[in-house]
Amino acid sequence: MTEPIRLLLVDDQALIRVGFRMVLDAEADMVVVGEAADGHDAIAQATELRPDMVLMDIRMPGLDGIAATAAIVREHPQTRVLVLTTFDLDEYAFGAIRAGASGFLLKDAQRHEMIAAIRAIHRGDAALSPRITRMLLEHVTPTLGATPAPQVHAIDDLTAQLTDRERDVFVEIARGLTNAEIAQALFVSESTVKTHVGRILSKLGSRDRIHLVILAHRLGLVDDDALPPGP
């Protein structure tokens, strides 16, 4: 039997943690291994418990979720961070993405959306709807555009390492497709796509799919019109 996804809940509001725990513990493939009420406690518990994923609130007293995300990602590369954010996706949430978070989860998300987001990140997909991807790029692209040209050229050189098929997969990732959708679009197996994704991440030095999306848009491989419509 596959081991359940081990989750750490981080939120300064106890009632939110209780609600999330009730939902997540009801899933056969998930288990909440710990809770934290601030960033300092989150870092300590991530070190002690080594969860597969942290559900991270952003605005907390003491150390906020951005700093905590950066520390956890740096110290525990195998642990993914799923950001808990408000409906309008404020800039604190985008700061967490830049710090290394692997996706967004709206605090008012439906139960099935929360479960799907956790499973998506755990299997290597991105928990980003097309709408959120657009908003992410609107916030991040101006910052990336300020990068000196030599660094852009260096990244161009990195993409030259990709095979033609890896480049195809790279573009489909940037369009927001899951591994299953990429497999269908390119007429290959999902396991083959997973292999390509792993090689792309390694060659481009990217932590996860979100950073591949940002990189692809930065290089002009896709544009906003290429994103599928989202709610």
Side-chain angles (χ1 to χ4, degrees):
M1 181 178 177
T2 304
E3 291 294 322
I5 303 170
R6 304 175 71 255
L7 303 165
L8 172 63
L9 305 180
V10 183
D11 197 294
D12 62 327
Q13 297 186 47
L15 286 178
I16 289 180
R17 299 198 307 271
V18 169
F20 281 178
R21 177 182 281 272
M22 290 176 63
V23 169
L24 300 174
D25 277 343
E27 298 297 318
D29 61 341
M30 298 181 189
V31 58
V32 176
V33 296
E35 298 181 17
D38 60 50
H40 291 295
D41 194 18
I43 295 170
Q45 292 212 43
T47 298
E48 178 182 354
L49 301 172
R50 300 299 176 94
D52 298 310
M53 193 178 307
V54 179
L55 274 64
M56 179 74 74
D57 188 20
I58 295 298
R59 302 189 185 191
M60 296 180 291
L63 191 69
D64 66 23
I66 297 176
T69 293
I72 290 172
V73 167
R74 181 178 62 251
E75 297 172 15
H76 311 290
Q78 299 307 311
T79 297
R80 298 300 187 219
V81 177
L82 179 56
V83 176
L84 302 171
T85 185
T86 55
F87 180 77
D88 59 354
L89 299 173
D90 60 46
E91 292 196 19
Y92 286 97
F94 291 105
I97 289 295
R98 288 190 290 269
S102 295
F104 287 99
L105 179 66
L106 303 183
K107 281 193 173 182
D108 62 352
Q110 298 295 312
R111 175 180 181 138
H112 72 275
E113 293 173 327
M114 178 192 301
I115 299 303
I118 293 171
R119 288 176 178 153
I121 289 180
H122 188 254
R123 68 172 177 262
D125 285 332
L128 284 178
S129 71
R131 176 178 65 85
I132 294 176
T133 300
R134 290 177 189 275
M135 296 182 71
L136 172 64
L137 292 169
E138 287 173 3
H139 280 70
V140 175
T141 298
T143 301
L144 294 178
T147 304
Q151 293 188 29
V152 175
H153 293 158
I155 294 178
D156 273 322
D157 291 341
L158 286 177
T159 62
Q161 301 178 47
L162 302 180
T163 66
D164 289 342
R165 178 55 81 184
E166 288 168 352
R167 192 177 182 87
D168 291 340
V169 172
F170 183 27
V171 170
E172 297 304 328
I173 290 173
R175 293 181 61 240
L177 273 62
T178 66
N179 286 350
E181 291 168 338
I182 294 172
Q184 184 176 16
L186 300 181
F187 304 102
V188 296
S189 69
E190 190 171 350
S191 62
T192 297
V193 173
K194 289 181 180 179
T195 299
H196 286 315
V197 172
R199 289 174 179 168
I200 293 166
L201 290 170
S202 177
K203 288 182 178 181
L204 300 185
S206 295
R207 173 178 167 81
D208 55 35
R209 297 167 81 101
I210 286 184
H211 298 89
L212 290 181
V213 170
I214 295 172
L215 178 58
H217 282 259
R218 178 183 179 185
L219 295 175
L221 297 181
V222 290
D223 55 34
D224 285 349
D225 292 336
L227 290 171

